[in-house]
């Protein structure tokens, strides 16, 4: 056997193991793919796939369709969770730690254009990408890949060479070829957990515009971490301004845990449920400790 | 050497092996297109890419040799060329073994040289009737970007064995591969007769739903209603009338026009064939002999 034949068989085996957990999600106004994340019938898909749906049908195997109900929806992360009405479908594990690297081989499985399972191969082109999404939202910390993601295959899994789910595919840029995006599994994990618990996600606000940044080599050594969240703008009279945060501050830790992306900061805010948040900042050459009291998310009327 | 270098070299070896059975076809007016060696003297290519009356040449390792146009089948868009030089066809991949995730390479020839593209099998399609009646038991879709110059190119597996001929799938956004073994009957017919001979009944048909009672009795939901009968054709001679609904031909149910076309292959020409039909609420059976199309 040559190296190419070995690789070919290895990929085929990953597809064979993973495929039964990939389902199609259908309703009167749209269609997409989904992934079974718990074998008692919980399916994660894209929020945009189930938007406007009244009755959902999930295709779990060729010719086998079951009804499903929406358990939770989070348009900010473009994720939603469904529960199957019946049947048992195998689930796939989500990658927990952040170990996805640019250049790794990945596979996308989905149901493009209502065809049954279709798989495509690619590499991780970039990580920590940000895309504008629904008005007022941005999709944060995305995985970019050149594996073909077509309309209808979004909501399906992006898998690594071990068959572990590294993301849920979400979007393609119209007319661009070879540029697809997936929501990384570490985001999917906490969003799904919160949606199962309370059906939606409230994001307490501290009143900053921020972005995840890569630190220079010298700062990485000095600060002991390679990424941080840079505050681009602190809104006046916001919880952040009252706590003393300033434009240009680098958030290093939230409640003692290192943060390297806006998603991680938001996750900490959501999980603390709006209670006081202790932030460690790098400001110039100093480290500063502050406590912010967030306010509840303002909901559009 | 790293594993990546091993992989890269294996990929290059696969393409180099495939190039022995995938040859450039040169034609002054049309430039260069891809030809796939079918047997010792025959090459299969895309009918649309070839001008039958203009001189043809096939590029071998070090030289170009003249080729003659044997024939074409517009229905499957295949053409066959003959070369008076011993060629070596690629071995055929076991397409029952090939599944989603297997690595494949598309190899094509164009005016700017040989082109290779790596991808995986995305999906294995089931039974498909090509226009013209050829029935494929399965076909493949890959994640290779379907660009026009890939029409007629060869798809090989990781060992360099031939999977089939690529067609850019209409509206599917993916490259569709027709298994080469399934096309053998077409290629052999062109090689022998210069074309694919098929039989006809001499009727124009349209698929219709059967009346509920008849459907329940026959175990079929659809039949083919006769919209027209060709003057002097086998159907007219046997007494087929406009408005009859064809249910079965030669003992096989016909619920789609493509199914009937697939039945009417060369072996039916001038062979006694039974036609079951639904007429005025009752079933009738007629005998006729299809003629060559």
């Amino acid at each position: 056997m040559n190296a190419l034949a070995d690789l070919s068989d290895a990929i085929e085996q990953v597809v064979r193991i993973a495929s039964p957990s990939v389902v199609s999600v259908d309703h009167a106004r749209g269609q997409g793919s989904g992934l079974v994340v718990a074998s008692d019938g919980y399916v994660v898909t894209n929020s945009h796939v189930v938007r406007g749906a009244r009755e959902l049908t999930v295709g779990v195997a060729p010719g086998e369709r079951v009804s499903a109900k929406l358990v939770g929806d989070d348009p900010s992360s473009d994720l939603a969770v469904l529960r199957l009405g019946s049947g048992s479908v195998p689930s796939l594990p989500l990658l927990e730690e952040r170990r996805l690297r640019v250049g790794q081989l990945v596979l996308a499985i989905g149901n493009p254009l209502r065809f049954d399972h279709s798989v495509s191969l690619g590499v991780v082109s970039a990580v920590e990408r940000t895309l504008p999404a629904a008005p007022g939202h941005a999709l944060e910390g995305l995985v970019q890949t050149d594996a073909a993601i077509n309309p209808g295959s979004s909501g399906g899994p992006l898998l690594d060479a071990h068959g572990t789910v590294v993301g849920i595919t979400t979007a393609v840029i119209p007319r661009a070829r070879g540029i697809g995006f997936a929501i990384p599994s570490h985001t999917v994990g906490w969003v799904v957990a919160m949606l199962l618990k309370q059906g939606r996600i409230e994001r307490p606000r501290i009143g900053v515009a921020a972005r995840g940044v890569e630190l220079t080599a010298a700062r990485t050594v000095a600060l002991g971490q390679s990424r941080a969240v840079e505050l681009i703008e602190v809104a006046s009279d916001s919880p952040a301004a009252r706590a003393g945060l300033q434009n240009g501050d680098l958030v290093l830790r939230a409640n003692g845990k290192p943060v390297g992306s806006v998603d991680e900061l938001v996750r900490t805010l959501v999980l603390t449920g709006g209670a006081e948040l202790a932030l460690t900042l790098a400001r110039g050459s100093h480290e500063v400790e502050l406590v912010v009291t967030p306010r509840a998310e303002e909901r559009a009327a | 050497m790293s594993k990546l270098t091993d992989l890269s070299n294996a990929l290059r070896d696969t393409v180099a092996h495939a190039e022995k059975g995938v040859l450039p076809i040169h034609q002054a007016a049309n430039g260069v297109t891809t030809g796939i060696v079918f047997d010792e003297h025959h090459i299969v290519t895309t009918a649309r890419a070839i001008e039958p009356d203009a001189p043809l040449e096939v590029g071998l390792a070090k030289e170009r040799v003249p080729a003659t146009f044997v024939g074409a089948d517009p229905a499957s868009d295949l053409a066959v060329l003959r070369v008076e030089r011993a060629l070596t066809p690629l071995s055929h991949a076991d397409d029952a073994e090939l599944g989603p995730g297997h690595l494949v390479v598309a190899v094509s020839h164009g005016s700017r040289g040989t082109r290779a593209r790596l991808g995986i099998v995305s999906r294995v399609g089931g039974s498909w009737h090509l226009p013209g009646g050829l029935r494929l038991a399965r076909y493949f879709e890959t994640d290779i970007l379907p660009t026009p110059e890939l029409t007629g190119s060869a798809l090989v597996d990781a060992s360099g064995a031939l999977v089939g001929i690529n067609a850019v799938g209409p509206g599917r956004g993916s490259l569709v591969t027709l298994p080469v073994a399934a096309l053998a009957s077409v290629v052999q017919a062109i090689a022998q007769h210069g074309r694919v001979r098929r039989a006809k009944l001499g009727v124009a048909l349209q698929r219709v739903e059967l009346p509920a009672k008849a459907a329940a009795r026959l175990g079929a939901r659809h039949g083919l209603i006769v919209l027209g009968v060709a003057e002097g054709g086998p159907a007219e001679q046997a007494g087929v009338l406009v408005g009859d609904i064809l249910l079965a031909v030669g003992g096989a149910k016909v619920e789609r026009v493509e199914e009937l076309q697939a039945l009417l292959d060369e072996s039916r020409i001038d062979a006694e064939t039974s036609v079951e039909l639904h007429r005025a609420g009752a079933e009738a059976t007629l005998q006729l002999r299809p003629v060559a199309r």
Side-chain angles (χ1 to χ4, degrees):
Chain A
M1 284 278 256
N2 67 36
L4 196 62
D6 286 346
L7 178 66
S8 180
D9 287 346
I11 295 170
E12 193 262 346
Q13 199 182 350
V14 168
V15 171
R16 198 150 17 99
I17 292 167
S19 287
S21 302
V22 184
V23 298
S24 71
V25 177
D26 276 276
H27 60 92
R29 294 167 64 183
Q31 176 264 340
S33 305
L35 172 72
V36 181
V37 285
S39 49
D40 46 354
Y42 286 104
V43 171
V44 61
T45 184
N46 286 142
S47 173
H48 80 256
V49 166
V50 297
R51 192 165 302 152
R54 291 229 175 83
E55 289 179 3
L56 288 159
T57 324
V58 172
V60 294
E64 196 185 334
R65 314 184 64 78
V66 299
S67 64
K69 78 178 203 324
L70 189 64
V71 172
D73 184 19
D74 182 40
S76 295
S77 62
D78 195 22
L79 291 170
V81 175
L82 316 178
R83 175 141 206 203
L84 301 179
S86 60
S88 132
V89 186
S91 62
L92 283 182
L94 298 175
L95 178 74
E96 278 172 16
E97 70 270 52
R98 294 169 171 269
R99 61 168 155 79
L100 201 60
R101 297 280 178 268
V102 172
Q104 267 183 262
L105 279 184
V106 282
L107 284 162
I109 308 186
N111 302 269
L113 309 169
R114 292 183 201 270
F115 289 125
D116 50 358
H117 283 163
S118 182
V119 297
S120 59
L121 176 71
V123 295
V124 175
S125 309
V127 292
E128 301 290 350
R129 283 282 199 244
T130 298
L131 267 193
H137 298 298
L139 292 172
E140 274 281 342
L142 299 180
V143 179
Q144 184 191 323
T145 177
D146 68 346
I149 296 168
N150 294 304
S153 62
S154 75
L158 192 70
L159 304 162
D160 68 8
H162 306 283
T164 307
V165 179
V166 298
I168 295 294
T169 59
T170 173
V172 286
I173 296 179
R175 290 188 303 280
R177 281 184 154 172
I179 303 180
F181 295 95
I183 306 153
S185 283
H186 52 81
T187 303
V188 176
W190 76 262
V191 169
V192 168
M194 288 302 284
L195 289 178
L196 288 177
K197 202 169 139 196
Q198 53 195 42
R200 64 193 184 94
I201 293 177
E202 293 196 30
R203 290 178 169 72
R205 299 293 169 109
I206 59 171
V208 296
R211 62 175 180 192
V213 289
E214 199 89 31
L215 298 178
T216 60
R219 293 201 92 169
T220 299
V221 173
L223 299 171
Q225 64 192 71
S226 63
R227 294 185 60 87
V229 174
E230 183 189 312
L231 303 185
I232 301 164
E233 198 182 332
V234 177
S236 58
D237 201 29
S238 64
R242 283 194 292 274
L245 272 73
Q246 297 174 7
N247 293 356
D249 282 350
L250 288 173
V251 181
L252 301 174
R253 289 184 289 281
N255 284 350
K257 283 188 187 155
V259 290
S261 67
V262 174
D263 170 68
E264 284 175 326
L265 186 57
V266 171
R267 165 162 63 169
T268 311
L269 269 167
V270 170
L271 296 180
T272 54
E276 285 184 347
L277 189 71
L279 296 178
T280 305
L281 314 170
R283 180 180 295 167
S285 55
H286 305 286
E287 280 200 14
V288 180
E289 305 261 354
L290 290 173
V291 174
V292 186
T293 309
R295 64 161 185 261
E297 182 173 16
E298 286 165 20
R299 300 182 67 80
Chain B
M1 263 201 313
S2 75
K3 279 186 180 165
L4 200 58
T5 314
D6 288 347
L7 183 65
S8 179
N9 289 339
L11 200 50
R12 173 64 198 128
D13 290 347
T14 296
V15 174
H17 174 77
E19 281 184 272
K20 292 176 196 159
V22 182
L23 306 174
I25 299 171
H26 300 265
Q27 217 175 15
N30 293 317
V32 183
T33 188
T34 313
I36 299 173
V37 177
F38 183 75
D39 60 26
E40 198 180 357
H41 292 294
H42 293 102
I43 294 171
V44 187
T45 184
T46 316
R48 258 179 304 170
I50 292 292
E51 182 63 54
D53 303 324
L56 286 156
E57 283 186 322
V58 169
L60 299 180
K62 290 187 183 105
E63 56 181 330
R64 286 194 197 177
V65 297
T68 50
F69 179 83
V70 178
D73 175 40
S76 55
D77 195 29
L78 294 179
V80 175
L81 311 182
R82 185 180 168 86
V83 177
E84 300 307 326
R85 187 74 69 92
L87 304 171
T88 317
L90 296 176
S91 60
H92 290 184
D94 180 355
D95 61 55
E97 281 290 307
L98 203 64
H102 272 129
L103 283 174
V104 283
V105 183
V107 180
S108 64
H109 291 285
S111 47
R112 288 190 287 174
T114 307
R115 211 180 266 260
R117 294 188 193 208
L118 177 67
I120 62 173
V121 175
S122 299
R123 178 174 172 267
V124 179
S127 168
W128 188 20
H129 289 91
L130 291 183
L134 185 68
R135 185 182 166 278
L136 299 177
R138 56 205 258 128
Y139 64 95
F140 301 96
E141 282 181 20
T142 65
D143 67 350
I144 297 169
L145 206 60
T147 54
E149 89 273 3
L150 284 178
T151 298
S153 62
L155 195 77
V156 298
D157 70 6
S159 70
L162 183 64
V163 175
I165 298 179
N166 296 318
V168 176
R172 297 197 159 208
S174 62
L175 195 65
V176 176
T177 306
L178 315 179
V180 71
L183 302 175
S185 62
V186 174
V187 177
Q188 274 155 5
I190 300 173
Q192 273 177 24
H193 306 291
R195 66 192 184 94
V196 177
R197 301 209 312 159
R198 292 196 171 95
K200 67 175 182 181
L201 304 177
V203 284
L205 299 166
Q206 165 77 47
R207 181 181 201 223
V208 288
E209 242 173 70
L210 293 174
K213 269 189 192 167
R217 194 168 58 241
L218 299 163
R221 289 188 56 209
H222 296 94
L224 304 173
I225 193 163
V226 178
L227 301 177
V229 181
E231 227 173 284
E236 189 191 49
Q237 286 170 17
V240 175
L241 301 174
V242 169
D244 287 349
I245 301 174
L246 264 52
L247 304 171
V249 172
K253 265 188 267 182
V254 287
E255 293 200 72
R256 288 146 47 98
V257 176
E258 293 86 347
E259 287 173 1
L260 176 60
Q261 286 173 330
L263 283 172
L264 294 172
D265 60 11
E266 192 180 0
S267 69
R268 293 276 172 194
I269 298 171
D270 213 28
E272 179 92 5
T273 300
S274 67
V275 174
E276 289 163 48
L277 47 83
H278 182 88
R279 176 185 292 172
E283 272 101 62
T285 302
L286 306 173
Q287 298 293 328
L288 51 69
R289 288 174 183 274
V291 294
R293 240 203 300 205

